[in-house]
Each structure stands twice: as C-alpha cells, then as structure tokens.
Amino acid sequence: MASEVFDVIVVGGGPVGLATAYEVAKAGAKVIVLEKNNFFNHAGSSNDLARMFRTMYTEDFMADLAKEALELWDDLEKDSGTSLRWMGGLLNFGDKNYGDNTPEGTLLGPIANLERLGMWYKELTREEIQDRYPFKDLPADWIGLYAPDNGVINVQLLLRTLLGLAKDYGAEARQHTDVKCIRPSDSDSSIWEVHTIRHNKDRCVFNARKIVIACGSYINHVVEASFGMALDLDIWEMVASYFNCNAGPSGTIFPSMWFQFAPEKDGRSQLFYGFPALPWGPPNVTRIAVDAATRRIKDPDERLTNVFNAEDIRDTQTFIEDHVVGVDSTVPVFTTSCLQTNVFDNMFVLDYIPQEYLHNGPKNSVVVFTAGWAMKFVPLLGKALAEMSLNGESQYARKEFSITRTDPNTGKGIIIVDNNELLKQVRSSFAFRQQASGSSVKGSHNTGL
C-alpha cells in the first residue's frame, strides 16, 4: 500500500468526507476515504434519521450558498436516482423581535434574502399557526414565516448513497482505519504519508499528493499529532428525543419542520424545533428537541456514551406539555445525541492548513473542514473540498470560513499552537458550564440544525 500514491486521501467517512470522495472520483482522480470507525457510525455528527435542509438565512452569503446548495442537492439526487430529501417546507415562528442586534437577526430577517433570491414565503399570524400546526397557547403577538424551499434530509440514505456513488466512480474506502499522523515523505516532499492503525492492530501507510481532513469534532486528533497545532473547539453534546403522536381519531400531524424563536426563560434556552413523522421512520413518532446543549466539551473522547443530559430532555418535555397538542411527553420513544462542533463564531472552518505548519510539505496541499451546521450543505462542501484539493481553489472557500480568522471581540484566533497554554484546553473535559443555545453562548443565535 505504501508504494501506491493517491491523488487525494480523505480523512473522515461522514457525509462531508464521503461527498468529497464522490466529487474527487467523479472528476477522474484517484481517491481513498479513511474512516476510524464503521461507516455510518453514530460517533460523530451524522447519526439519527433526519436533519434540516433550510434556505432561510439573514446573512447574504449564507442565503446565497443555501440557494446554490439547493441546486447541488438536485444534481446529487439525479446522479443517484434517489430522493434524499422530503421538501415539505419550514415554519419559523415566535417572537418577531427576538434576535435583534445579533448576527442572525430576527425571525423576519430572512425575508430580504428570500425576496432578493426570488424564493416564495408566507407570513402567518398566531391564529394561522395554531390552526395549521398542533400548537397551543402561543403568545398573542407571535408570528410565523413559512417557506417551501426547505425539507428533511434522509441522513442514513444520504450516507449510503454517497459511499455507493463514490465507489461507482472508482473511489476506494477503508473503515476501521485510524489516522495517527500525516507527514511529508522522506523520499519525496511532494508526497504525504498517512500513517494509520487498522482494526486496532495493523500499521498501514497510505500515500497521496493532497489531503482532505473532514473528520468533524475529531479533527484535533489528526492535526495536533501531524502539524503541531490544534483548533480551539467548543463541542456541544446535542440531545434530541422522539415522542409519540396521537394516531387518531383526531390525530396529530405536523405538516412541516418547524423552529421556535423565543428568549431564554430562567437561564434555559427556549429555541425548540421539530420534524414531522418521517416516511422512513416509525409511524406516529415526531422528533422534538431544544436547539441547545447543556454539556459542552473540548475533545470528543470526553463524550458521554451511555447517558443523555436530563435537563435538555426535561426542557423539551415542558415545552411539549405547555404548547403542543396530541404529543405524549411522558417518556420519549427514544433519545439520541450527536456532537455539534463549533468555533468562536460558529461558522465553518474551510481552508488550507497554513504553510508554516506543514513541515516543508507543499503549500495548499492539506485542506480541512470542520465546525458549523453542515448537513444542509453536504453536496456543496464536497464540491468545495474536491476543488480545493484538485484545483488549488474554490469559490466556496470564503474569508468567513478562514482558519486564520480572529474573534473581533477578543482578538483570539482558531489555531492553537503547541507552545501555547491553551492547547491544554483541547484535552480538558466539560470545559464549559453554561448552556449553549443557537449559534453562540453570547446571545448571537443562529438556528442551526
């Protein structure tokens, strides 16, 4: 294996990594994707049955990317001959003033971009919301914004489709392959050696001209050992529960996804979201959860693997009791969790590892992606990472996603170097005690999902 040279090695077999392998292989290049666990595992951010695809953004550039992603999802579905989304729309509702003076803006903030991009929407009153959806006792002055160009992603079908397509185009894939170190070859500095342990016992080296690291919250496990740097991450253990709906008579149906905008109550987030009962899931079961995380960590190895945060579940049960009709909050049907990776502004990190950390390896030869709410952008991010690795650039590698950007409030950056005391925090367990909600613990809420 050490004598074979790939054009690109992709580290991480989640949806972004698989989308990258698919795009690279489709371009005719030689690519392999390496996954530490099983493919389709639940150790990172791509478990569960569903994620939101949404186009309602306040930021112009994110709205533009979402509109373009809409077309790339269409292309992916045509190539696979598979419907990967259920486009039932999205209802945002709540306090129209909530989020003022924050980067995400207010509930009605996306309207300007929806109009600019020619995307249909409808404003709803409190009465119209409660007539169409099984909500009750909403405040009289609450309003809603419904847009049809949004939908539910079938996550498990997406993962299997991407891996199948990548292989069909010639990509190779290895699971149970833990990347321990990436370093320039001693014999040829234009080649990267990827040192791995396979099946927890066998050492194996893979060679490539370009590297894409897309392993989400596990990124520091690779870049720290390889490049003497780490990223200052805030990893949320997001908890979501499924609840039983009334099957009839007078049954309970959510006609679309929904998201509630509301200020905190007693220090606890009131940002709740939900999905309809899924055609590919159990009948009469709906996912409802708080878009917040009480437990926040710095390293995915510190994740709780056998229990869930009771406070987050209880918040959701209280919301259902107070404001939802026909959903039994007594005991969840089942509960799951995932790791939501963030940096200081909760935007993506989509960039090259800076030259100074490459140990004389070739410039712009190692691309990284992590952080942010990425599932809705999977086809776009796969295209971006493929372009960056094969062509040395991509229009999607925006300055807002730069690995070297700094927090305007503190002046601190994302990169932590190994002679910095902050590097110790990368390994610290449960580094934060404050509940994180939306996109920021500082009050800047970005409805993610």
Side-chain angles (χ1 to χ4, degrees):
M1 185 64 68
S3 61
E4 185 176 17
V5 178
F6 292 90
D7 294 310
V8 179
I9 289 177
V10 180
V11 180
V16 174
L18 292 176
T20 303
Y22 158 64
E23 290 286 353
V24 171
K26 190 167 66 170
K30 188 175 180 62
V31 59
I32 186 171
V33 56
L34 307 178
E35 167 56 44
K36 176 180 180 179
N37 300 301
N38 293 333
F39 285 115
F40 324 133
N41 67 76
H42 285 213
S45 303
S46 57
N47 58 321
D48 201 12
L49 300 175
R51 290 289 188 275
M52 283 189 183
F53 173 80
R54 71 179 179 97
T55 54
M56 288 195 279
Y57 282 91
T58 298
E59 304 97 330
D60 290 356
F61 73 94
M62 292 298 288
D64 292 342
L65 291 177
K67 177 71 180 297
E68 188 153 353
L70 188 65
E71 299 172 1
L72 293 174
W73 275 102
D74 291 342
D75 293 343
L76 176 60
E77 290 177 330
K78 290 175 183 176
D79 197 19
S80 66
T82 305
S83 295
L84 301 171
R85 299 160 297 160
W86 176 26
M87 298 298 285
L90 169 64
L91 170 70
N92 286 342
F93 71 96
D95 182 348
K96 66 180 180 180
N97 298 314
Y98 174 77
D100 196 18
N101 297 320
T102 70
E104 178 60 18
T106 64
L107 170 63
L108 300 181
I111 287 179
N113 280 320
L114 292 171
E115 292 180 343
R116 176 176 63 86
L117 296 171
M119 305 180 78
W120 189 89
Y121 68 91
K122 180 177 178 59
E123 295 183 47
L124 302 175
T125 65
R126 189 275 300 264
E127 290 72 22
E128 289 173 320
I129 295 169
Q130 293 186 159
D131 182 58
R132 300 181 188 191
Y133 290 77
F135 295 121
K136 65 179 181 180
D137 299 330
L138 300 179
D141 60 345
W142 277 21
I143 59 173
L145 183 66
Y146 173 81
D149 291 319
N150 300 266
V152 186
I153 299 168
N154 187 334
V155 175
Q156 298 309 312
L157 183 58
L158 170 65
L159 290 165
R160 286 155 177 82
T161 299
L162 286 171
L163 180 58
L165 281 175
K167 288 182 175 179
D168 286 344
Y169 280 108
E172 296 185 35
R174 301 287 187 276
Q175 58 186 0
H176 307 298
T177 304
D178 188 6
V179 173
K180 294 299 185 181
C181 183
I182 302 168
R183 66 189 187 200
S185 170
D186 291 334
S187 59
D188 184 347
S189 62
S190 69
I191 301 297
W192 289 99
E193 294 178 354
V194 179
H195 294 254
T196 72
I197 300 292
R198 300 204 67 219
H199 303 286
N200 296 317
K201 60 179 182 177
D202 300 323
R203 295 183 180 275
C204 186
V205 179
F206 298 86
N207 294 328
R209 295 176 178 84
K210 301 291 178 63
I211 306 293
V212 174
I213 304 174
C215 50
S217 60
Y218 293 84
I219 189 168
N220 283 336
H221 291 189
V222 177
V223 298
E224 183 182 353
S226 303
F227 307 112
M229 55 164 281
L231 305 185
D232 191 9
L233 303 179
D234 179 6
I235 304 170
W236 303 356
E237 292 189 30
M238 301 287 287
V239 176
S241 295
Y242 287 76
F243 297 88
N244 175 257
C245 295
N246 181 9
S250 299
T252 298
I253 293 178
F254 289 90
S256 75
M257 306 180 302
W258 54 269
F259 194 99
Q260 173 180 287
F261 284 70
E264 291 183 355
K265 181 187 296 184
D266 299 324
R268 302 294 295 174
S269 173
Q270 299 300 299
L271 302 179
F272 293 97
Y273 69 90
F275 289 87
L278 303 170
W280 55 86
N284 307 114
V285 171
T286 182
R287 173 177 162 185
I288 301 178
V290 62
D291 187 29
T294 297
R295 182 174 168 84
R296 300 160 58 202
I297 57 178
K298 298 292 285 185
D299 189 306
D301 284 349
E302 303 295 341
R303 178 186 188 173
L304 296 178
T305 58
N306 55 5
V307 295
F308 304 110
N309 185 272
E311 293 175 272
D312 293 339
I313 298 172
R314 183 62 227 169
D315 287 345
T316 301
Q317 291 171 308
T318 299
F319 166 77
I320 294 172
E321 292 163 6
D322 292 344
H323 295 296
V324 183
V325 178
V327 174
D328 188 346
S329 65
T330 308
V331 178
V333 176
F334 59 91
T335 297
T336 185
S337 69
C338 73
L339 298 180
Q340 170 63 42
T341 306
N342 299 292
V343 291
F344 68 85
D345 57 4
N346 291 37
M347 282 290 180
F348 301 144
V349 176
L350 174 64
D351 204 351
Y352 298 98
I353 294 286
Q355 179 71 36
E356 61 194 280
Y357 303 107
L358 295 183
H359 307 302
N360 297 318
K363 183 179 179 181
N364 292 351
S365 60
V366 181
V367 194
V368 295
F369 174 80
T370 190
W373 282 267
M375 192 71 73
K376 61 185 71 64
F377 293 105
V378 161
L380 183 146
L381 291 168
K383 183 177 180 181
L385 290 163
E387 290 173 345
M388 294 171 74
S389 59
L390 295 176
N391 306 329
E393 61 181 2
S394 173
Q395 63 176 314
Y396 306 121
R398 298 180 56 92
K399 61 181 176 58
E400 291 89 352
F401 308 148
S402 169
I403 198 171
T404 57
R405 67 186 187 269
T406 58
D407 185 341
N409 296 316
T410 66
K412 295 180 180 179
I414 298 169
I415 294 176
I416 304 170
V417 294
D418 60 3
N419 62 354
N420 193 310
E421 281 296 310
L422 284 176
L423 193 57
K424 297 177 182 177
Q425 295 181 13
V426 173
R427 306 184 187 89
S428 65
S429 173
F430 202 60
F432 305 98
R433 294 289 175 181
Q434 180 185 357
Q435 184 190 42
S437 173
S439 76
S440 172
V441 297
K442 298 175 182 176
S444 303
H445 298 284
N446 175 12
T447 55
L449 306 171

